[in-house]
Amino acid sequence: MIATSLPQLASLAPEPASVPQAALAAAPQAAASPELRQLKEDLAQLKQELQQLKEIPSALASLRQSVDQLAGSQQQIAGTIAKLGTRQQQLLHKLATPPPRPTPAPKPVTQPQSEVR
């Protein structure tokens, strides 16, 4: 700092220690390592979530197909229930109506017997 602020005293400043370039390159990486690790974890989680999002359309299509099948089955059941209701009403009406009375057989007409003499 002294050498930069007063150039005439630069010769009195001690020589900076020589630091290997590899150590300089590793220092920021070592400091960023927890951050880098967190970023990698976040990226992995995002990839997993993206894969799940990609699976949603096929899952929705499958669900839609199941709902359509259920709706068809429900319509068949409703039709069957309606037929059963109609048949029940027919049977109740039949049971409520008394059977027709048999008509009495006609009495034979008797001819008066002629008097025998």
Side-chain angles (χ1 to χ4, degrees):
M1 178 160 166
I2 294 174
T4 55
S5 54
L6 298 171
Q8 61 272 29
L9 298 177
S11 61
L12 299 176
E15 288 290 320
S18 175
V19 178
Q21 289 296 330
L24 288 175
Q29 208 172 29
S33 182
E35 292 173 357
L36 183 61
R37 197 172 321 124
Q38 183 63 44
L39 286 174
K40 287 181 179 180
E41 289 173 7
D42 291 346
L43 181 62
Q45 184 177 357
L46 287 173
K47 285 181 179 180
Q48 183 181 13
E49 290 172 0
L50 179 63
Q51 182 60 35
Q52 290 172 347
L53 288 174
K54 286 180 180 179
E55 294 170 4
I56 288 176
S58 64
L60 286 175
S62 177
L63 179 62
R64 184 175 296 120
Q65 184 179 10
S66 296
V67 168
D68 290 344
Q69 288 174 348
L70 286 173
S73 297
Q74 183 182 12
Q75 288 176 346
Q76 287 178 338
I77 290 169
T80 302
I81 290 172
K83 287 177 186 176
L84 288 173
T86 302
R87 182 66 182 141
Q88 181 185 22
Q89 290 301 319
Q90 291 171 346
L91 289 172
L92 289 173
H93 180 70
K94 184 177 180 180
L95 291 173
T97 306
R101 293 184 183 192
T103 56
K107 292 185 180 182
V109 177
T110 54
Q111 300 264 339
Q113 287 187 353
S114 26
E115 293 181 23
V116 179
R117 293 192 195 185

